[in-house]
Amino acid sequence: MRRILIAICSLFAFINLQGQTTVNPLLSEDVEAQKKWVDSVYSSLTLKEKVGQLYMVQVMSNQDAATKNKIVKLIQDHKIGGIIYSNGGPVKQAKLNNELQSMSKIPMLIGMDAEWGLSMRLDSTYAFPWNMTLGAIKNNDLIERTGKHIGEHCKRLGVHFNFAPVVDINTNPENPIIGNRSFGESRDNVTEKALAFMAGMQGAGVLANAKHFPGHGDTDQDSHKTLPTISFDAKRIDSVELYPYKKLIRKGLSSAMVAHLNVPSLESKSGYPSSLSKNIVSNILKDSLGFQGLIFTDALTMKGAADFDLIGEIDVAAFKAGNDVMLMSEDVEVGILKIIRAYNDGEISETRLEHSVKKILQAKYKLGLHNYEPIELSNLKEDLNRIEDDILYEELIENAITVLKNESNLLPLRRLETKKIAYVQLGDDSGSAYLNELKKYTKVHHVKATKLDELISKLKAYNTVVIGLHRSNENPWKSYKFTNKELVWLQEIARTHNVVLDVFVRPYTLIDLKTIENIESIVVSYQNSEIAQRKSAQILFGALEVKGVLPVSSGDFFKVGDGIKINAIKRLGYSRPERVGMSSMKLEKVDSVAQYAVDAQMTPGIQLLIARKGKVIYNKNFGKHTYNGKTKVGYDNIYDVASLTKILATLPLLMELVEQGIVSLDSKLSEILPEYKGSNKEDITIKKMLSHYARLRPWEPFYYHTLDSITKKPSDVYYRKTKTEKFNIEVTKNLYLRSDYQDSIQKIIKESELLDRLRYRYSDFPYYILKKFIESHYDKGLDNLVQEHFYQSLGANNTLYNPYYKISNKKIVPTEIDDYYRHQKVHGFVHDMGAAMQNGVGGHAGVFSNANDVAKIMQMFLQKGFYGGKRYLKPETIDKFNTCYFCEKDNRRGVGFDKPQLDEEGPTCGCVSMTSFGHSGFTGTYAWADPEEELVYIFLANRTYPKAGKNLLLRENIRTEIQRFIYEAIEN
């Protein structure tokens, strides 16, 4: 034995010099006042009270009355020094804590296990990501912020010690108790993360605790159930397991927790727990490492210690070993009596007792317990669940998600027009947040089957399969492995499809993969929280950059530090207002105005979206499809966007032709459509026409000419109730217009009189004209062209003409009960009569969409023609169309785009930049983009239902008032 101790002491001797340079982390800034208070309190205590200070007992705020009475007795009769809170709720705990503290002669130290936040023990509190997730993050400033946030939560709840961070280096994938609680297997990464976490938490005024000394990371047993053995030699332990402690101690670590481990290389007694070993606690931790902070035992009720000796004797042994605080003793009363007996028998000196008690009192003074104040109960839950916590969680997950394989650069998913994507869910937990987020980017189908052959058959219709492994995120110990069945299904799917495997569990799950040859992309998302699911989906589509690296090795294929960096491709992401310099609280005014519009029956329902700096930060629905109906507005419901069609369909197709040199803004009508030669419109240019500065009449009620002069209903001359060769233009259900009437529309426009004088006058005519030109040029319909050129690759799968036969009517919002033309509910067919008379496909109207899709198109414009890794239009083309050419003529319009008012009245709140652009639609729709604020605002409504009548949205400036509140919510 003597030889072993000599070897150990020699090994750690060099650390001693470093140890002597460490400072006492328990000293406060006013050292003299602290010493005076500590000495005064200590001298006032009886022996029993001094020993009582060594004990921290477990309390649960949801405990029964009998258990509470036992705790009260320990406080009043035995003057225990502290409490470690466990299960319960924050308000109950705060009330209980105030009550118990009021009974204590000396305010008690309050501790908790809050490794990933208070939710480790309490309901209704915040859960940050596990340490394993944090270990994947390169930016340690984020880890420091995490420590700070958790520290702030602890402090708000009156918790003084957080038993965190875990600094165990998890080199054993089969470790049953550490695993996700570790920052990883790299001692340097674990140390860096622990230092950052400690700095943040202690900076918030809560003392940190490094655990589990001397290192619980390479065990395959749980010390709660048995005494695990660490079989490494002393040299290995010094260079790896103790490394984080050395660094943290030098940076002011406040406390450490000693584990119940069998470490033969550091303790010569066979099977002797490290928590009871004087060599490990005193000689190594205190002397060699120079640690002067508080030393806690791990819970003495754990089998790793409790099975070793008689009740109370364990407490004595732990104290003799050098521990300051006996955590969760099996029997506090017996333990106190036995320590007093050992003291009286001379086994424990007054110096030894004074050393620990005064350290405890020093900690109490440093934490302000010499001027104790009870916990403030008001707004407690709100203070423990803040917006800034969600923001940090988002950032952490965004920085953690790791791509380990990306064959042929499958990720991010591009060329969406070529992708037929299926989602297959594995695991036993929900993946709904993931699937819903995937669907925001393109069409994704959830494919399910009970048998493998059935699943493979269903997947034949798809060329890309996203497989998500979803297991419980309830705690870090939950199951994380594939089942054997899932492994077989994964490999079979991968044999015939491009596969993205995304695992929402710890990386060790990949150990069970026998081959990864047929799996194109592998993503580790670490946790199955809703935020992790949403962020991972965003990463798959390139809305976010991939930054994470693997914190542990995982099988034969992946090593610690692996991770492929992938740049974002400028697709819209989804986040919170504060991430882009806006205020959630101020945006509540937007809620109020939108709800007011619905309640005042200005429109049955609304879809409202706000995006800034490339992130959708507000996307809400209000009301229902109809006033008397039951169908609430949903995110995937589509609206008739009316005149937004002009900038969502016709304009981008025209921009392409300008870029190709087919036309220019100065092209005349007679040049693009020869039939206009000799007409009164032959010299009108595209620029003037789309700037609404060409003397064109605003509108023509083409439908009116087709009504019976007596009945005012569709005339039999022009309409049939069944489709025939001559009557094949479907204007609504069971009503077909004469095939040749489209020529009549064009003839009426061409032959129409011009207005008397040149001035700004809004007109739909240019878009009838341009529709004919564009369709003639391509020999293809406008509806197909805009799908092929824009919508499909943008992932705007909810944007289309004529949805009636393509989408369930349950998802289409009706626009009017028509009693003047079609005499039926307009539902799934375009509301605009002129567009309806063109088979639902107008250059000026006819597009249906949802707010999310409209935002994609507006964001593409905002990003100067670039979106999702694809250049749709050149920046100079966007600028050319987003220019007011006739402002000096009191005409605010750009080419196709509406622009801010030049005077007081106009289409905006008057608070937007002059470079902003957009459009509005008759049905109540509105889309606006502001390059200077990088802002997109979408408002979709069906204010025309059940009757178009008065436009109350416009009269009460609902859309522009909302716009004003949006700009007021911008803080930076």
Side-chain angles (χ1 to χ4, degrees):
M1 186 178 97
R2 184 172 179 274
R3 188 174 298 169
I4 293 173
L5 287 177
I6 290 171
I8 292 169
C9 291
S10 298
L11 179 63
F12 291 103
F14 78 98
I15 308 173
N16 199 34
L17 291 174
Q18 297 176 336
Q20 291 180 18
T21 65
T22 62
V23 296
N24 183 349
L26 303 176
L27 293 180
S28 65
E29 292 182 1
D30 52 342
V31 177
E32 292 302 320
Q34 181 188 39
K35 184 177 185 304
K36 184 177 179 180
W37 184 84
V38 169
D39 290 344
S40 173
V41 173
Y42 185 80
S43 64
S44 71
L45 299 176
T46 66
L47 175 59
K48 183 181 177 182
E49 289 172 341
K50 291 174 183 175
V51 176
Q53 288 295 301
L54 304 175
Y55 281 83
M56 183 173 270
V57 301
Q58 184 183 43
V59 176
M60 301 184 190
S61 57
N62 59 5
Q63 64 199 1
D64 57 32
T67 306
K68 178 185 173 183
N69 290 336
K70 290 179 183 178
I71 301 300
V72 170
K73 188 174 187 296
L74 290 175
I75 294 170
Q76 294 179 333
D77 296 351
H78 298 282
K79 307 297 187 291
I80 57 172
I83 287 172
I84 175 172
Y85 279 104
S86 191
N87 300 345
V91 176
K92 283 185 178 180
Q93 179 171 308
K95 290 178 178 178
L96 178 62
N97 191 71
N98 286 346
E99 181 183 358
L100 297 180
Q101 286 282 31
S102 69
M103 300 174 183
S104 183
K105 177 179 178 180
I106 305 167
M108 294 176 287
L109 281 178
I110 305 301
M112 279 191 74
D113 283 312
E115 295 168 17
W116 55 87
L118 295 171
S119 72
M120 184 173 178
R121 294 289 182 253
L122 302 178
D123 62 39
S124 307
T125 55
Y126 207 85
F128 289 92
W130 326 132
N131 281 358
M132 183 72 76
T133 308
L134 302 183
I137 297 170
K138 291 181 178 180
N139 182 359
N140 289 328
D141 289 343
L142 290 170
I143 313 304
E144 183 171 346
R145 283 173 56 195
T146 306
K148 181 175 183 288
H149 280 232
I150 292 175
E152 289 168 347
H153 290 181
C154 288
K155 190 170 185 177
R156 177 68 180 86
L157 194 57
V159 175
H160 309 118
F161 270 92
N162 182 9
F163 293 107
V166 172
V167 298
D168 298 318
I169 298 164
N170 205 82
T171 49
N172 188 340
E174 298 301 321
N175 193 319
I177 191 60
I178 304 302
N180 266 332
R181 298 165 68 197
S182 167
F183 290 116
E185 73 177 53
S186 161
R187 69 161 202 183
D188 294 321
N189 189 40
V190 169
T191 301
E192 290 168 6
K193 298 292 185 288
L195 281 167
F197 189 98
M198 178 184 77
M201 190 162 61
Q202 294 193 163
V206 171
L207 303 188
N209 179 278
K211 62 185 185 185
H212 306 80
F213 191 85
H216 206 319
D218 203 328
T219 64
D220 56 8
Q221 294 175 306
D222 181 358
S223 54
H224 291 82
K225 301 175 182 178
T226 187
L227 183 67
T229 296
I230 302 294
S231 56
F232 297 122
D233 61 29
K235 184 176 181 181
R236 146 69 197 241
I237 292 172
D238 171 57
S239 64
V240 178
E241 276 72 17
L242 297 190
Y243 184 81
Y245 291 95
K246 298 176 193 176
K247 297 294 185 181
L248 267 67
I249 288 168
R250 294 171 73 179
K251 291 294 184 180
L253 174 67
S254 298
S255 70
M257 178 182 286
V258 183
H260 309 308
L261 301 168
N262 175 35
V263 193
S265 63
L266 302 185
E267 173 52 59
S268 59
K269 296 178 188 176
S270 178
Y272 199 67
S274 50
S275 54
L276 310 183
S277 167
K278 184 173 183 179
N279 187 59
I280 291 173
V281 179
S282 291
N283 295 347
I284 296 177
L285 179 56
K286 295 173 76 171
D287 297 339
S288 295
L289 299 187
F291 184 54
Q292 299 181 59
L294 276 180
I295 301 175
F296 292 78
T297 65
D298 206 341
L300 294 174
T301 52
M302 293 165 60
K303 296 296 184 181
D307 286 352
F308 181 76
D309 210 336
L310 298 174
I311 291 176
E313 295 298 336
I314 298 169
D315 303 32
V316 175
F319 188 66
K320 285 182 176 180
N323 294 288
D324 300 308
V325 182
M326 311 303 113
L327 190 65
M328 296 169 57
S329 169
E330 285 190 287
D331 192 317
V332 174
E333 294 184 46
V334 173
I336 289 175
L337 288 175
K338 291 197 174 184
I339 289 179
I340 290 174
R341 183 182 301 163
Y343 177 92
N344 290 331
D345 290 345
E347 296 176 27
I348 296 173
S349 68
E350 169 61 24
T351 302
R352 171 71 190 90
L353 181 62
E354 179 182 15
H355 173 75
S356 286
V357 176
K358 284 193 172 181
K359 284 171 69 177
I360 292 166
L361 293 174
Q362 282 180 334
K364 291 186 176 185
Y365 185 93
K366 182 172 184 176
L367 290 161
L369 291 180
H370 59 298
N371 290 316
Y372 166 77
E373 292 183 5
I375 302 164
E376 174 59 53
L377 299 178
S378 61
N379 299 317
L380 181 59
K381 279 189 178 179
E382 292 80 2
D383 292 344
L384 300 178
N385 296 275
R386 308 167 301 182
I387 290 174
E388 50 263 47
D389 300 318
D390 285 335
I391 292 168
L392 176 57
Y393 194 111
E394 278 195 6
E395 290 186 72
L396 293 169
I397 292 296
E398 288 173 7
N399 280 269
I401 293 173
T402 308
V403 173
L404 293 174
K405 186 181 180 187
N406 195 29
E407 193 172 296
S408 302
N409 293 317
L410 178 60
L411 297 180
L413 296 169
R414 303 170 188 254
R415 298 187 63 203
L416 299 182
E417 72 277 14
T418 69
K419 300 286 191 298
K420 293 182 178 178
I421 302 174
Y423 162 70
V424 174
Q425 180 178 331
L426 303 180
D428 53 7
D429 202 22
S430 173
S432 59
Y434 186 55
L435 177 60
N436 290 337
E437 200 78 1
L438 291 172
K439 287 180 175 180
K440 290 179 181 178
Y441 289 97
T442 192
K443 196 175 291 182
V444 178
H445 293 133
H446 187 184
V447 178
K448 308 180 216 179
T450 55
K451 295 181 180 179
L452 178 58
D453 56 354
E454 179 190 2
L455 181 66
I456 295 298
S457 177
K458 287 182 176 181
L459 289 176
K460 286 179 180 178
Y462 304 90
N463 56 26
T464 304
V465 182
V466 176
I467 300 177
L469 176 64
H470 302 272
R471 296 210 179 278
S472 175
N473 198 60
E474 185 180 348
N475 64 57
W477 302 285
K478 286 287 186 177
S479 172
Y480 62 91
K481 294 188 175 184
F482 289 101
T483 64
N484 289 333
K485 173 185 172 182
E486 288 169 344
L487 288 169
V488 171
W489 283 35
L490 169 62
Q491 295 300 341
E492 286 302 308
I493 295 169
R495 280 197 312 108
T496 53
H497 291 81
N498 286 333
V499 164
V500 177
L501 173 63
D502 198 343
V503 297
F504 294 86
V505 291
R506 68 181 80 173
Y508 292 134
T509 192
L510 301 176
I511 291 173
D512 291 334
L513 297 180
K514 299 296 187 291
T515 176
I516 59 170
E517 183 178 352
N518 292 325
I519 303 173
E520 279 71 24
S521 297
I522 298 177
V523 183
V524 179
S525 295
Y526 297 96
Q527 298 190 220
N528 201 39
S529 66
E530 285 196 12
I531 291 178
Q533 291 185 44
R534 291 198 295 267
K535 293 301 174 183
S536 191
Q538 292 174 39
I539 274 177
L540 260 58
F541 284 96
L544 298 169
E545 181 183 355
V546 182
K547 305 175 185 177
V549 295
L550 209 57
V552 292
S553 297
S554 188
D556 297 330
F557 305 112
F558 308 113
K559 301 304 176 187
V560 62
D562 284 355
I564 301 170
K565 187 178 184 299
I566 302 176
N567 293 325
I569 57 173
K570 301 196 80 170
R571 281 199 180 105
L572 280 171
Y574 299 83
S575 189
R576 297 187 64 98
E578 284 72 15
R579 292 290 303 278
V580 295
M582 298 182 74
S583 166
S584 296
M585 186 177 296
K586 291 179 180 178
L587 285 173
E588 289 176 4
K589 294 179 181 178
V590 172
D591 295 359
S592 299
V593 175
Q595 192 60 52
Y596 165 70
V598 170
D599 292 343
Q601 295 200 343
M602 299 180 192
T603 177
I606 297 169
Q607 278 184 357
L608 213 164
L609 181 147
I610 305 163
R612 189 172 189 232
K613 297 182 178 179
K615 296 182 186 297
V616 175
I617 50 84
Y618 184 108
N619 190 8
K620 295 185 180 182
N621 305 313
F622 300 85
K624 298 178 292 184
H625 285 202
T626 62
Y627 292 119
N628 298 321
K630 295 181 179 179
T631 306
K632 293 183 178 180
V633 178
Y635 293 103
D636 59 351
N637 296 168
I638 62 171
Y639 282 82
D640 180 337
V641 301
S643 283
L644 295 191
T645 300
K646 295 177 172 73
I647 65 170
L648 300 181
T650 306
L651 203 62
L653 289 170
L654 179 64
M655 288 176 174
E656 284 186 321
L657 294 175
V658 169
E659 287 188 356
Q660 296 165 16
I662 305 299
V663 293
S664 75
L665 295 188
D666 294 320
S667 294
K668 298 176 181 178
L669 285 187
S670 57
E671 295 170 347
I672 65 172
L673 290 173
E675 61 264 34
Y676 274 85
K677 287 180 180 178
S679 75
N680 59 0
K681 301 174 183 66
E682 65 177 343
D683 292 327
I684 294 175
T685 64
I686 290 175
K687 181 192 293 181
K688 282 194 169 186
M689 184 169 69
L690 291 185
S691 298
H692 301 284
Y693 196 62
R695 296 172 60 200
L696 296 176
R697 286 166 53 188
W699 182 66
E700 176 71 28
F702 300 109
Y703 79 96
Y704 194 77
H705 305 307
T706 66
L707 301 182
D708 184 279
S709 61
I710 305 299
T711 65
K712 300 302 180 184
K713 290 187 177 181
S715 167
D716 290 343
V717 175
Y718 295 102
Y719 295 94
R720 294 288 184 274
K721 291 183 179 180
T722 57
K723 188 176 183 179
T724 67
E725 184 178 348
K726 286 188 175 182
F727 295 84
N728 62 11
I729 298 174
E730 189 173 22
V731 297
T732 191
K733 190 175 182 181
N734 300 324
L735 188 63
Y736 297 89
L737 176 66
R738 248 172 51 181
S739 312
D740 60 359
Y741 198 77
Q742 290 196 65
D743 295 334
S744 299
I745 291 174
Q746 290 292 333
K747 185 173 184 293
I748 291 170
I749 293 172
K750 187 184 73 168
E751 295 178 355
S752 64
E753 295 294 326
L754 296 175
L755 299 177
D756 293 339
R757 62 188 180 93
L758 181 62
R759 56 176 173 148
Y760 163 55
R761 197 68 181 269
Y762 183 80
S763 174
D764 282 341
F765 282 6
Y767 294 90
Y768 285 85
I769 296 167
L770 287 172
K771 173 182 184 286
K772 182 176 184 182
F773 164 67
I774 292 170
E775 290 184 337
S776 297
H777 175 77
Y778 287 106
D779 194 23
K780 188 177 288 190
L782 198 70
D783 51 345
N784 291 321
L785 286 169
V786 75
Q787 285 290 343
E788 294 169 6
H789 290 220
F790 291 94
Y791 298 164
Q792 290 175 2
S793 57
L794 282 167
N797 298 105
N798 292 297
T799 306
L800 70 167
Y801 284 92
N802 289 318
Y804 181 81
Y805 293 109
K806 303 167 187 173
I807 290 179
S808 166
N809 256 18
K810 292 179 181 179
K811 293 188 176 182
I812 306 172
V813 179
T815 41
E816 190 178 20
I817 298 176
D818 180 344
D819 62 359
Y820 52 87
Y821 173 36
R822 288 155 285 198
H823 296 275
Q824 59 179 273
K825 182 165 75 171
V826 181
H827 191 188
F829 294 90
V830 61
H831 175 265
D832 183 272
M833 295 73 76
M837 298 172 82
Q838 298 176 80
N839 238 350
V841 182
H844 67 295
V847 168
F848 287 70
S849 189
N850 66 352
N852 191 57
D853 274 10
V854 176
K856 293 175 186 178
I857 300 167
M858 295 302 288
Q859 188 69 25
M860 182 270 289
F861 288 142
L862 195 67
Q863 293 172 178
K864 301 288 188 180
F866 186 87
Y867 190 87
K870 179 177 178 179
R871 170 63 63 191
Y872 288 89
L873 300 163
K874 296 175 182 177
E876 54 268 30
T877 304
I878 302 292
D879 292 340
K880 189 180 294 184
F881 280 75
N882 185 29
T883 296
C884 177
Y885 291 97
F886 304 102
C887 277
E888 73 282 359
K889 303 295 185 181
D890 200 29
N891 179 352
R892 68 174 187 264
R893 291 275 178 167
V895 180
F897 292 119
D898 201 355
K899 299 283 289 173
Q901 56 264 44
L902 302 176
D903 298 312
E904 292 184 8
E905 298 295 323
T908 76
C909 57
C911 50
V912 300
S913 76
M914 294 307 293
T915 59
S916 68
F917 57 91
H919 216 284
S920 60
F922 184 76
T923 52
T925 57
Y926 188 86
W928 207 268
D930 189 337
E932 293 185 24
E933 290 293 350
E934 300 178 75
L935 193 140
V936 169
Y937 162 42
I938 311 297
F939 182 105
L940 301 186
N942 59 328
R943 67 100 193 160
T944 49
Y945 193 92
K947 298 296 295 177
K950 297 175 182 178
N951 190 342
L952 296 178
L953 287 177
L954 183 62
R955 180 180 294 183
E956 297 207 26
N957 299 316
I958 294 298
R959 295 170 297 186
T960 53
E961 272 299 284
I962 286 175
Q963 189 175 51
R964 182 169 66 83
F965 287 135
I966 291 169
Y967 276 76
E968 287 178 1
I970 296 173
E971 296 185 327
N972 60 66

